[in-house]
Amino acid sequence: MLATDAASPAAVAAHDKQRWLSLFNPCAVVNDPVGSAPHRGSEQLARFYDTFIAPNRIRFEVAHDVVCGREVLRDVTIVIEMSDRVTLRVPAHLRYAMTDDARIDALAAHWELGPMIGQLLGNGSAAAPVAGRLSAGLLRNQRLGGARGFARGFVGVGARAKRQAIALLQALGDGDVHAAERARTAATALRFGGRPVPSPAELGRQLAGWRVGKTLAAGRTVSVTLTDGQAHGVALVEFAGRAVSAVTVYVDA
């Protein structure tokens, strides 16, 4: 699974479209970024490639990988060279769901679209031709409906939910039982290391000593880097309205 996940950025860097597509199950789903409309199946993935990968030079700086069951979580920074004058650095968590034969069945890319566009526009006049090319490619390859679907990535739970997720995970890591009990009524689905957890208090015991790091809000999910000494993990905190609806912690299992 790690070899497949490493092959994906290698194919992207080499601009090898067919190699990149071959890594995916024919019915695979790519949600990039999470919150935008997903791309399903080989035809839509090919259009995704033509829109967002082909015009740019892209490389991935990997902080760590977590393998948990049939899923791989990658904590990365995506470096996107959009022109000789415009390079963006996009923090991300990438969640790969794998098939039994180690092909990619689903890819969920957790990164923040608003700050990425802010980085682009911060390049001043150099951003204008890049933004124009991106818009033209989006409309040409995705049509108006696809452009609207991509724009859905601007809408999400935002900064308030990030603060809420951080406070919850920090309290659980510190062994704050009261915080765990406050989460009980909201968090209906709890998982740690691929296994269901019966209660927030038990999740707190599993998270004792872990510390939060990079935090991103994409769609209805906040993704958080976790560390415990030399161990690494990623938590996905999902929201329904203003309440936490699920917490999934990925650690090597």
Side-chain angles (χ1 to χ4, degrees):
M1 291 190 294
L2 286 174
T4 298
D5 293 336
S8 177
V12 166
H15 283 94
D16 189 339
K17 178 180 178 180
Q18 294 308 313
R19 172 59 176 155
W20 185 77
L21 290 172
S22 74
L23 300 172
F24 291 84
N25 181 32
C27 298
V29 177
V30 170
N31 196 191
D32 188 352
V34 168
S36 66
H39 293 75
R40 302 176 185 274
S42 298
E43 183 179 343
Q44 290 190 13
L45 264 60
R47 291 202 296 268
F48 172 88
Y49 182 99
D50 292 339
T51 306
F52 300 109
I53 298 176
N56 304 305
R57 296 186 295 273
I58 303 173
R59 58 186 174 87
F60 294 74
E61 297 178 353
V62 181
H64 62 262
D65 292 319
V66 174
V67 179
C68 188
R70 284 291 177 186
E71 294 183 278
V72 178
L73 273 289
R74 309 201 86 186
D75 188 331
V76 304
T77 298
I78 307 171
V79 182
I80 309 170
E81 296 181 38
M82 305 189 79
S83 75
D84 291 339
R85 298 174 60 191
V86 177
T87 297
L88 309 181
R89 295 181 60 84
V90 181
H93 295 114
L94 308 179
R95 180 170 63 88
Y96 295 86
M98 311 297 292
T99 64
D100 289 341
D101 59 350
R103 299 178 78 183
I104 301 169
D105 199 39
L107 166 60
H110 296 262
W111 56 271
E112 298 179 339
L113 181 56
M116 180 269 210
I117 296 298
Q119 273 194 66
L120 173 60
L121 298 179
N123 285 273
S125 60
V130 172
R133 186 188 70 210
L134 175 61
S135 299
L138 187 59
L139 290 171
R140 180 176 63 253
N141 297 312
Q142 309 285 331
R143 305 291 188 265
L144 185 58
R148 286 198 299 264
F150 177 69
R152 282 165 45 187
F154 285 105
V155 180
V157 291
R160 175 198 55 78
K162 288 170 70 172
R163 292 192 296 270
Q164 188 175 345
I166 290 170
L168 172 61
L169 293 169
Q170 285 180 332
L172 291 171
D174 289 340
D176 187 336
V177 175
H178 295 295
E181 290 304 315
R182 286 196 300 271
R184 178 186 297 277
T185 57
T188 58
L190 304 171
R191 298 183 68 85
F192 182 91
R195 298 179 300 276
V197 176
S199 69
E202 175 60 25
L203 181 61
R205 283 189 283 273
Q206 298 281 2
L207 283 173
W210 289 80
R211 293 293 176 259
V212 304
K214 179 172 74 181
T215 305
L216 305 168
R220 307 299 304 172
T221 304
V222 176
S223 59
V224 184
T225 295
L226 298 174
T227 57
D228 180 15
Q230 297 300 310
H232 300 282
V234 176
L236 300 183
V237 183
E238 299 174 39
F239 284 80
R242 299 176 67 88
V244 174
S245 61
V247 180
T248 304
V249 179
Y250 294 88
V251 295
D252 284 318

